[in-house]
Amino acid sequence: MRIARFSVDDEPKYGLVETDDPEGLVGTVAVLDSDPLYRPVQLTGEVLQLADVRLLAPVIPRSKVVCVGRNYADHAAELGNDVPAEPMIFLKPNTSVIGPRDGIVYPEQTNNLHFEGELAIVIGRICRDLPRERAEEVIFGYTIANDVTARDLQKSDGQWARAKGYDTFCPLGPWIQTDLDVSDVRVSTELNGEPKQDGRTSQFIFDIPEVLAYITSFTTLLPGDVVLTGTPAGVGPMLPGDEVAVSVEGLGTLTNKVIVRD
């Protein structure tokens, strides 16, 4: 299932998407009666055209976005970093989340704002001390993320909370795919139509079961929490007016434009 969160006349709803368009600009959405993270899927019978709705971030994390740093060896190398011996974990606040086509605000405090395209996991069950062999049991589905990063602040601050945590620094979308085999899918990013990143999830240093087992060894994941799995090589700067599009094979494309706050 492709599960979207969308609005009509500013009223958020959930629905099942039918489309051949990776961004969901054309096609249909069958409306659900509630958030499928917390209640079984139940259709209302109403079907809308995607052209008549606004796709939102498919989930607003209840508590947190948990991210894995340097999970591709080529990305670690391009920034002059060693491959970590165990998963490198950091957090983004849920206030950083925006949806498809929403603007990524370029903060005045940075001069080096980067895109980082990633596969993201949406958690479906409360989990702590999760054995890696049970990882699939807690995954609700997958979506696409852009781990927007103020690279200069990341370096100067010595820790990543500000560089990764500004409002709008976690675009998610365009929907949640619940039945996708992500063991070897392509993750790619284009900036203004020019290819920049191109990797595969089979290149992860730490695979998804290991990542979830590691995270839940020290913190509880809640339904709706999101885990970003790392970015391949090719990250680079964005400027106001640029359009960045992150694609995951079999899932779709998440597109956002960089803007300046009014």
Side-chain angles (χ1 to χ4, degrees):
M1 294 185 294
R2 289 175 178 161
I3 297 174
R5 180 170 165 266
F6 65 95
S7 65
V8 179
D9 299 326
D10 295 326
E11 180 185 357
K13 297 183 178 182
Y14 296 86
L16 302 183
V17 171
E18 289 288 341
T19 182
D20 293 324
D21 179 13
E23 295 188 65
L25 300 179
V26 294
T28 62
V29 56
V31 181
L32 301 177
D33 68 349
S34 60
D35 184 347
L37 261 172
Y38 304 108
R39 290 183 59 186
V41 169
Q42 183 67 47
L43 296 169
T44 66
E46 182 181 13
V47 178
L48 303 172
Q49 296 296 314
L50 285 169
D52 297 330
V53 308
R54 177 191 173 201
L55 290 178
L56 307 173
V59 61
I60 297 296
R62 180 188 286 186
S63 63
K64 55 194 172 293
V65 179
V66 187
C67 310
V68 186
R70 302 174 191 167
N71 202 23
Y72 288 79
D74 55 0
H75 170 59
E78 74 177 342
L79 296 181
N81 298 311
D82 294 331
V83 172
E86 58 185 5
M88 177 180 288
I89 304 299
F90 61 94
L91 302 177
K92 282 179 175 276
N94 57 10
T95 49
S96 66
V97 171
I98 58 173
R101 297 284 168 179
D102 288 341
I104 299 168
V105 176
Y106 199 113
E108 61 182 15
Q109 296 90 346
T110 183
N111 293 305
N112 194 16
L113 190 67
H114 280 211
F115 54 83
E116 294 190 10
E118 311 199 9
L119 172 73
I121 305 163
V122 180
I123 300 299
R125 295 173 55 183
I126 296 174
C127 48
R128 177 69 199 270
D129 294 322
L130 179 72
R132 59 170 292 136
E133 61 270 15
R134 299 188 63 184
E136 288 189 7
E137 297 177 22
V138 306
I139 296 173
F140 181 74
Y142 302 92
T143 191
I144 303 171
N146 187 348
D147 176 21
V148 178
T149 303
R151 194 70 70 198
D152 48 353
L153 301 184
Q154 185 183 27
K155 182 177 180 179
S156 65
D157 287 359
Q159 50 79 29
W160 301 357
R162 183 168 66 135
K164 301 274 193 176
Y166 277 91
D167 291 355
T168 76
F169 273 24
C170 189
L172 296 176
W175 42 65
I176 299 168
Q177 178 69 264
T178 62
D179 52 358
L180 182 66
D181 179 358
V182 298
S183 58
D184 183 27
V185 295
R186 184 184 185 196
V187 179
S188 59
T189 304
E190 293 184 353
L191 186 69
N192 300 323
E194 181 181 349
K196 294 293 184 179
Q197 294 184 277
D198 194 352
R200 302 194 70 85
T201 56
S202 56
Q203 298 169 325
F204 284 158
I205 298 168
F206 306 103
D207 64 15
I208 287 172
E210 186 170 2
V211 162
L212 294 183
Y214 184 85
I215 292 169
T216 61
S217 71
F218 67 86
T219 190
T220 300
L221 290 174
L222 302 178
D225 282 352
V226 175
V227 177
L228 274 56
T229 57
T231 195
V235 300
M238 310 179 287
L239 295 171
D242 285 345
E243 185 173 84
V244 58
V246 182
S247 299
V248 173
E249 181 182 5
L251 210 166
T253 299
L254 169 67
T255 300
N256 298 90
K257 182 166 281 191
V258 184
I259 63 173
V260 177
R261 189 182 302 279
D262 294 335

